[in-house]
Amino acid sequence: MLQLPFFETYPQSLAWFKTIGPTWANRWHATEETRLLVDPQENLAIEALWLHPARREKLVVLSVGEHGIEGYVGSTMARLFCEQFLGQLNPENTGVVFVHAINPWGMSHYRRVNKNGVDLNRNFILNGSFNNNYNQGFSSLSSLLVPCKPIGNFELQYASLFFKIANSILKHGMATLTRVTLLGQYQQPRSIFFGGQSLQPESEFVVASIKKAMAEYQHILILDQHTGYGPRYQMGVVVPPTEPLSSAQLEEKFGYPYVVKGNQEEFYQINGDMVQAISDLGQGHPGAKIDFACSFEFGTYGDGLLARAKSLAAMILESQNYSYPAISQRSDQKVRQIFKELYFPSEPAWRQKALQDGYAAFKGILSAYQYI
């Protein structure tokens, strides 16, 4: 049985990240650090550590914390990778870059968005076409999705919101409500899944890092870490819709039971998705090949109707609570608690299964593409 404690605070995670270089530098030909300061007041920065081999042929890109609070599970998976697989890579021709907390402000503050309120995984629109009129279905549900008042009594507010969500499901159907909410929107900065109105500095850093990787390496694996959506006790390997192999073929290839494409039919559709944008960059680069790109998505509340409604309620309340702080400290704490459980479950059994799934997926993917 895998035994690995989960990081609970941003400083704890960052302190561990700082040990990777000193611990592993002697095994690799060279190390390199890149950094982007995103919040000078709190000294919060995106940190990337490169372990370069003697011959720069293969590269594993392991990124965490694009959705801040999700970085606690993500950084634990990075630690799992280091303990179980880093020593199996060939330092003669295979390198690794660890990107810690793509959204350090969100991770530090246990929020999903960055300091500007932007969901970075709806922000990777590399042609700069941020359309305010995109996803008009979101605007039509603004009374539900964009509450504009402080939270009073938590239980009453939660019950009222849950009733409204249930009515929307009956009226529009769960599939429509899921698509409208998760797709991304660009007109309501104080609401959920806001993709911004310009490319964020964090997104620019990721793009620059991937371009650097493609310029220096011939083969690349992208392994991004997320939590929140899907079955509670089964992590999903989510691949771009443009992945040429089917989900069933990938499951067989990896020996892993749950692979889905990021489309409406198998998972859900995202506009401005980071992994898709990276895949698109790879398509246009003649010197490097992205062998495979995916997100590990560790489901938390579950994927049933009730679980999805609970997830949406937690997200709406958290966004509302930040823009319009709750009247009482108790209500504020309740909102923070249900939001944290949505992206960082405390249940020991959930955490143990997450470690098992992460291990199995790492092993299957690294083996299938002959990185170990």
Side-chain angles (χ1 to χ4, degrees):
M1 179 181 292
L2 294 166
Q3 297 290 339
L4 196 63
F6 279 62
F7 300 118
E8 302 288 342
T9 69
Y10 176 76
Q12 181 187 23
S13 177
L14 183 60
W16 167 78
F17 175 79
K18 295 291 189 181
T19 68
I20 301 175
T23 301
W24 292 93
N26 289 339
R27 180 173 168 81
W28 265 264
H29 180 71
T31 63
E32 180 181 1
E33 296 179 9
T34 54
R35 186 174 190 265
L36 176 68
L37 185 67
V38 297
D39 190 323
Q41 290 182 328
E42 298 186 42
N43 193 30
L44 297 172
I46 309 173
E47 313 263 359
L49 174 69
W50 302 71
L51 302 177
H52 290 298
R55 302 187 311 276
R56 299 186 184 186
E57 297 175 2
K58 297 180 177 181
L59 180 71
V60 179
V61 179
L62 183 54
S63 56
V64 308
E66 182 184 17
H67 288 144
I69 189 172
E70 300 176 25
Y72 294 102
V73 174
S75 61
T76 302
M77 293 303 143
R79 185 177 170 194
L80 174 69
F81 178 91
C82 285
E83 293 194 3
Q84 299 292 329
F85 298 103
L86 190 52
Q88 298 185 48
L89 301 181
N90 183 355
E92 290 301 310
N93 70 345
T94 304
V96 188
V97 56
F98 297 95
V99 185
H100 183 265
I102 294 173
N103 176 8
W105 184 89
M107 188 171 177
S108 178
H109 291 267
Y110 297 91
R111 297 208 71 206
R112 196 169 180 273
V113 297
N114 73 356
K115 191 173 184 178
N116 298 327
V118 173
D119 182 324
L120 295 177
N121 208 36
R122 307 300 187 279
N123 184 247
F124 280 80
I125 301 175
L126 303 189
N127 64 4
S129 180
F130 289 83
N131 184 359
N132 290 346
N133 295 318
Y134 184 79
N135 190 9
Q136 284 300 300
F138 191 95
S139 297
S140 68
L141 292 172
S142 59
S143 61
L144 168 67
L145 302 173
V146 196
C148 299
K149 63 179 181 179
I151 297 168
N153 179 277
F154 171 79
E155 284 77 13
L156 290 177
Q157 181 89 27
Y158 187 86
S160 174
L161 178 58
F162 203 87
F163 179 74
K164 291 178 181 178
I165 292 172
N167 278 342
S168 292
I169 292 172
L170 289 173
K171 183 177 180 181
H172 304 287
M174 191 67 230
T176 298
L177 187 61
T178 298
R179 182 181 187 279
V180 164
T181 52
L182 297 178
L183 182 61
Q185 56 89 13
Y186 303 87
Q187 63 267 18
Q188 295 284 358
R190 288 190 168 189
S191 190
I192 59 177
F193 300 112
F194 175 62
Q197 294 168 342
S198 62
L199 200 63
Q200 297 294 290
E202 298 93 334
S203 305
E204 292 176 343
F205 179 87
V206 171
V207 170
S209 299
I210 295 300
K211 287 182 177 180
K212 169 181 166 62
M214 290 190 297
E216 298 180 6
Y217 287 83
Q218 301 168 28
H219 296 274
I220 301 170
L221 275 183
I222 309 291
L223 305 173
D224 190 36
Q225 305 294 307
H226 285 267
T227 63
Y229 196 85
R232 180 168 174 84
Y233 298 105
Q234 182 59 66
M235 184 269 283
V237 175
V238 184
V239 303
T242 53
E243 162 63 43
L245 296 181
S246 70
S247 297
Q249 288 172 321
L250 291 171
E251 288 174 357
E252 183 177 359
K253 185 181 181 77
F254 304 149
Y256 189 79
Y258 189 43
V259 180
V260 293
K261 292 198 174 184
N263 55 29
Q264 197 64 29
E265 292 72 31
E266 296 186 23
F267 196 62
Y268 65 84
Q269 183 181 353
I270 299 176
N271 190 59
D273 172 65
M274 184 182 81
V275 173
Q276 180 64 68
I278 290 172
S279 297
D280 292 343
L281 282 173
Q283 292 292 324
H285 197 287
K289 177 185 177 184
I290 294 180
D291 291 323
F292 183 67
C294 74
S295 295
F296 288 13
E297 183 80 26
F298 296 86
T300 55
Y301 276 11
D303 58 352
L305 193 65
L306 180 61
R308 292 191 190 187
K310 287 174 60 180
S311 299
L312 181 56
M315 288 206 65
I316 293 171
L317 288 172
E318 191 273 344
S319 179
Q320 177 183 2
N321 191 45
Y322 193 80
S323 296
Y324 306 95
I327 293 173
S328 71
Q329 184 179 7
R330 178 182 177 277
S331 291
D332 174 78
Q333 291 174 343
K334 285 285 188 179
V335 170
R336 293 176 186 270
Q337 179 182 355
I338 63 170
F339 187 72
K340 187 176 180 181
E341 284 296 320
L342 175 57
Y343 293 107
F344 185 23
S346 58
E347 182 194 10
W350 184 92
R351 294 185 176 189
Q352 181 60 42
K353 184 57 164 61
L355 288 171
Q356 293 171 5
D357 288 350
Y359 177 89
F362 280 137
K363 183 178 180 180
I365 294 168
L366 292 168
S367 299
Y369 292 100
Q370 300 181 346
Y371 280 64
I372 58 173

